[in-house]
Amino acid sequence: MNAPLLPGATLGVMGGGQLGRMFIHAAQRMGYFTAVLDPDADSPAGRVSHHHIVAEYLDAPGLGQLAETCDAITTEFENVPAPALARLAAYTTVSPAAASVAIAQDRAQEKAHFVRCGVPCAPYAVIETAEQLAAVDDALLPGILKTTRLGYDGKGQARVSTRAELASAWAVMKNVACVLEKMLPLAAECSVIVARGADGQMVNLPIQRNLHRDGILAVTEVYEENMPAAQVESALAAAKSIASGLNYVGVLCVEFFVLQDGSLVVNEIAPRPHNSGHASMDCCDVSQFELQVRTLAGLPLVQPRQHSPALMLNLLGDLWFVRSEQSTTPPWAEVLALPGAHLHLYGKAKASRGRKMGHLTLTGDSVQAVRAVALQAAALLGIEGF
Ligand code: ATP
Ligand code: MG
């Protein structure tokens, strides 16, 4: 086992989005220097990092500069190409490994991994050829056609009810490799974040109950008994076996569907901190970003403890257009007058519909109090109730 990288070392991240920004904040708080590689000169993480390398993810000189600057490198963005991580790994410590990221980036490989781990997922078929399209079982309809690669926030997906709709949706996706997933009757959704060290030790954050709207996460609730104990147990066991099966090092989020009969099926994994884990910054003594720092630096992992019930509201760009057609700043002062309101904005200059601009976490001393304040915040912001 290598000695841990102690504060004073430089930690790097591929990708400059909000997840990278919150990783940078956590790393800097602990006394690390930081570097970001992102093609956007004005990226949310680049703005707050000691070093910002403006380069495409596969740019050899840019990768070389990042490797030279950093003692260890992680990733924050689903679509940072796995080969870029593989190249960096020739020079420095990289976690999660390119091989794990490559599996998470391809829905077909990801599902094959779930099957290998004995964790149930939605019935599906891989569609790469016209023959496979023709051979699709009718039992998969109605279903959701998803591109195997480069989807996020419900992008690269189409809901299809008939074979004709399936064929035309695949044509719209320019016949790229896809999976067709059976549409399942969901009672709820939840996710689990685990952190796994190079020595195989694992810790987890409390289970997150998630509400999606239009394919985008809208609300996450984290409190004891947000889910029945048996479901929590099986979600945790599944998440841990998925992480161990990958020999994963880093922070991994596993998203689940809860079916109407109470059973769980895994939806997908994210090889990084996840939007549904943001409440951990305000309701746990160790956040998902600190876990990312610890796994990357090879520091000890301690089981996080939740100290307050919490509810997170995603702040999408839509909220800037609630009051007028022109972009208008939401009423932050009113929101911040609410007890237990923690505002996180990602420093994105321009709001647009569907864009993740920030999130608001509400904490309190009881679930009822947190929910009541969260509903007030939602009303102020123009977020639909829940
Ligand atoms: P993200 O990266 O933001 O998690 P994504 O683009 O990868 O999103 P998915 O997680 O595949 O998309 O799907 C988004 C949402 O659509 C799910 O959280 C769920 O609400 C719904 N959904 C997806 N697949 C199914 C399914 N097979 N049956 C029922 N609902 C589904
Ligand atoms: Mg998802």
Side-chain angles (χ1 to χ4, degrees):
M1 202 88 304
N2 292 335
L5 291 170
L6 297 177
T10 302
L11 303 181
V13 58
M14 289 288 282
Q18 62 267 18
L19 298 172
R21 178 181 172 100
M22 291 181 273
F23 165 77
I24 297 286
H25 285 154
Q28 291 182 345
R29 195 198 62 187
M30 294 172 76
Y32 290 95
F33 293 95
T34 61
V36 168
L37 184 147
D38 191 285
D40 178 0
D42 193 26
S43 71
R47 281 180 164 208
V48 298
S49 179
H50 296 104
H51 305 277
H52 184 192
I53 296 158
V54 181
E56 295 297 330
Y57 299 124
L58 285 166
D59 178 67
L63 291 173
Q65 204 186 330
L66 185 70
E68 253 171 50
T69 310
C70 298
D71 299 295
I73 298 168
T74 188
T75 177
E76 65 101 39
F77 176 48
E78 199 86 342
N79 298 332
V80 166
L85 299 178
R87 273 202 220 169
L88 291 169
Y91 303 98
T92 186
T93 303
V94 174
S95 81
S100 298
V101 172
I103 289 174
Q105 283 177 340
D106 183 306
R107 289 189 193 274
Q109 287 190 48
E110 184 180 50
K111 285 176 174 6
H113 180 67
F114 300 150
V115 173
R116 269 198 301 278
C117 295
V119 174
C121 61
Y124 71 100
V126 176
I127 300 178
E128 289 174 328
T129 64
E131 290 70 35
Q132 285 171 321
L133 179 76
V136 158
D137 190 338
D138 281 328
L140 294 177
L141 294 170
I144 307 188
L145 186 67
K146 303 180 177 181
T147 58
T148 56
R149 301 178 59 78
L150 303 178
Y152 67 99
D153 290 348
K155 295 184 175 79
Q157 301 195 1
R159 299 188 173 211
V160 294
S161 304
T162 62
R163 301 190 81 90
E165 281 175 22
L166 171 62
S168 66
W170 195 48
V172 168
M173 291 177 186
K174 304 206 163 66
N175 302 3
V176 296
C178 284
V179 296
L180 174 67
E181 244 178 70
K182 185 178 173 67
M183 178 77 84
L184 298 174
L186 308 189
E189 293 185 67
C190 65
S191 56
V192 171
I193 288 166
V194 295
R196 188 172 183 276
D199 58 358
Q201 194 209 346
M202 269 190 279
V203 297
N204 63 278
L205 288 172
I207 196 160
Q208 296 132 188
R209 185 182 168 100
N210 303 323
L211 172 67
H212 289 80
R213 288 178 174 152
D214 301 325
I216 306 180
L217 183 66
V219 181
T220 295
E221 292 188 79
V222 195
Y223 54 85
E224 231 172 286
E225 294 174 353
N226 61 351
M227 309 275 303
Q231 286 173 10
V232 174
E233 210 175 295
S234 74
L236 266 179
K240 289 184 173 176
S241 86
I242 288 167
S244 307
L246 291 168
N247 203 12
Y248 192 84
V249 180
V251 171
L252 180 78
C253 179
V254 183
E255 291 183 83
F256 297 91
F257 299 139
V258 183
L259 304 188
Q260 265 144 21
D261 65 3
S263 62
L264 283 185
V265 301
V266 59
N267 171 19
E268 59 174 354
I269 57 176
R272 50 169 173 78
H274 191 257
N275 195 166
S276 62
H278 289 352
S280 62
M281 286 189 279
D282 297 303
C283 75
C284 292
D285 59 357
V286 183
S287 75
Q288 60 171 347
F289 300 103
E290 179 170 341
L291 290 174
Q292 189 179 20
V293 171
R294 285 178 180 243
T295 52
L296 183 61
L299 290 169
L301 295 177
V302 292
Q303 177 64 32
R305 182 181 66 84
Q306 182 171 8
H307 51 71
S308 302
L311 191 153
M312 183 215 68
L313 299 173
N314 249 353
L315 305 175
L316 299 181
D318 306 60
L319 305 184
W320 275 247
F321 300 94
V322 167
R323 296 174 164 192
S324 105
E325 294 277 287
Q326 263 119 46
S327 179
T328 310
T329 306
W332 301 135
E334 277 105 309
V335 168
L336 289 168
L338 298 171
H342 310 278
L343 180 63
H344 299 255
L345 291 172
Y346 307 146
K348 297 182 183 178
K350 200 171 169 296
S352 56
R353 291 182 198 280
R355 189 171 195 208
K356 290 176 177 170
M357 302 298 289
H359 67 272
L360 182 76
T361 306
L362 293 312
T363 56
D365 56 14
S366 74
V367 177
Q368 293 70 23
V370 169
R371 279 194 67 94
V373 176
L375 285 167
Q376 280 177 274
L380 283 169
L381 290 166
I383 297 172
E384 195 189 317
F386 38 83

